[in-house]
Amino acid sequence: MPAIPVSDAIPSLPARLEGVISVITNDKEISLYAGFLAFVIFLAAFGPYLAPYDYTASQTDADGLLLIGASPSPAHPLGTNHLGQDVLSRLIIGARPTIITGLLGGAMIITIGTTIGVTAGYFGGWVENVLMRFTDFVYGVPLIPFAIVLLALFGFGLFTTIIVLGALLWRSSARVLRSQVLQIKERNFILAARATGMGSFAIVRKHFIPNIAPMMILFFSLGIGFSILVQAGLAFIGVSDPFVPSWGIMIRNAYSNGYIENFWWSLTPGVLISLTVLSAFMFGRKYEEIVTGQAGDTAFVEAG
């Protein structure tokens, strides 16, 4: 388990943001991961303005014939799909539902996981027993089959998928964050805060959350990656809204229509999914290693 900061000096929000930016800019590896994620977010934000064609429009050649499954050309660098739609335009537009899934799914995962983990670790007793047994129960739920059942009941919409994923993928973060809370619960500055009559909510907000923030960022980034990966898997097996042009849907369309060998259509969304998930995972891991390493050095000096 990584070292936990023990200082009770709580930096302001601008100071925290400055610290995050400093960590990112001072490490080449984490800058690379952050840069790729920023690129995907840029595509998601400005995709409709960057796409060379309407992603729903079927393209035709000079003779007015539909370009069905056309190979790459200067006019269509990634060719066209089974409906004659420009693959590059759909790839650019597909960044938006993919990154929305990742960000909202990751936010749900870390929100639920932090709430359950911190509450269980801080209060202990029957509260901890109930919450941890509930977490064990969720661990026993098979992810993909249960997600399929829930989506079949509530619909295959994008936001329904995000809610289902967030409701199932928080369990690891809850366990780890609870263990971190247990480590710092008996620290002197926590005992001093209790002795002064500070309320539980204030203690959690001022002392626990800043100290477990690196691990929260790690699980947020892991949640982004897992949400994108699972959503792409569900889309590939047909458990998704077929009219939302996510990268997972693009791979399914290529496979189901017999164009999987057209690597410019089938491989490019798969590569982007892989790079996005890898960047999210590695960004969170590298950031957590750097920050907890610095905090560990501080803690050692203070403890000595």
Side-chain angles (χ1 to χ4, degrees):
M1 187 65 63
I4 297 175
V6 298
S7 173
D8 58 350
I10 307 302
S12 63
L13 181 59
R16 294 180 198 174
L17 293 177
E18 182 180 352
V20 172
I21 295 172
S22 176
V23 170
I24 294 174
T25 55
N26 291 332
D27 187 273
K28 293 182 179 180
E29 186 178 348
I30 199 172
S31 296
L32 178 64
Y33 303 134
F36 186 81
L37 292 174
F39 168 71
V40 177
I41 293 173
F42 176 80
L43 289 182
F46 299 102
Y49 307 102
L50 300 173
Y53 302 96
D54 180 354
Y55 77 96
T56 62
S58 297
Q59 306 300 314
T60 58
D61 59 15
D63 298 324
L65 299 177
L66 281 177
L67 292 171
I68 303 297
S71 301
S73 65
H76 305 284
L78 293 179
T80 60
N81 64 10
H82 63 296
L83 297 176
Q85 298 162 337
D86 182 65
V87 172
L88 177 60
S89 298
R90 294 184 68 83
L91 193 71
I92 294 173
I93 295 296
R96 178 171 293 182
T98 301
I99 205 67
I100 286 175
T101 298
L103 291 176
L104 293 184
M108 279 194 63
I109 289 167
I110 194 58
T111 299
I112 298 173
T114 300
T115 301
I116 290 180
V118 171
T119 302
Y122 181 78
F123 289 102
W126 68 268
V127 175
E128 181 180 19
N129 288 331
V130 170
L131 292 178
M132 287 299 99
R133 297 298 75 75
F134 176 66
T135 303
D136 293 338
F137 170 77
V138 177
Y139 255 109
V141 175
L143 176 61
I144 298 297
F146 193 64
I148 293 173
V149 171
L150 290 180
L151 290 172
L153 289 174
F154 299 109
F156 293 158
L158 175 65
F159 290 102
T160 306
T161 302
I162 294 171
I163 292 172
V164 169
L165 295 180
L168 294 175
L169 291 174
W170 54 266
R171 47 205 181 182
S172 295
S173 62
R175 278 187 170 181
V176 175
L177 292 174
R178 165 185 166 270
S179 68
Q180 293 233 317
V181 169
L182 290 175
Q183 287 185 56
I184 62 176
K185 186 165 72 168
E186 302 303 324
R187 298 283 188 179
N188 289 334
F189 62 92
I190 299 295
L191 298 177
R194 288 174 172 169
T196 61
M198 182 179 291
S200 297
F201 179 78
I203 292 176
V204 170
R205 180 176 61 85
K206 291 186 176 182
H207 298 291
F208 283 97
I209 296 301
N211 281 311
I212 65 174
M215 191 61 68
M216 291 172 61
I217 291 176
L218 170 62
F219 276 103
F220 175 59
S221 63
L222 293 178
I224 291 174
F226 277 125
S227 297
I228 292 174
L229 200 59
V230 175
Q231 190 275 337
L234 292 172
F236 182 77
I237 63 177
V239 188
S240 181
D241 186 348
F243 301 105
V244 175
S246 67
W247 292 337
I249 286 292
M250 290 183 67
I251 300 174
R252 171 170 176 78
N253 288 340
Y255 175 78
S256 61
N257 290 282
Y259 288 93
I260 197 67
E261 71 279 1
N262 291 6
F263 66 89
W264 51 86
W265 174 10
S266 60
L267 185 61
T268 46
V271 168
L272 284 176
I273 290 172
S274 300
L275 291 177
T276 304
V277 172
L278 177 65
S279 296
F281 282 2
M282 296 306 297
F283 174 86
R285 173 56 67 188
K286 189 67 176 177
Y287 181 87
E288 186 265 341
E289 286 178 357
I290 293 172
V291 174
T292 55
Q294 295 171 349
D297 293 339
T298 303
F300 178 79
V301 172
E302 290 180 354

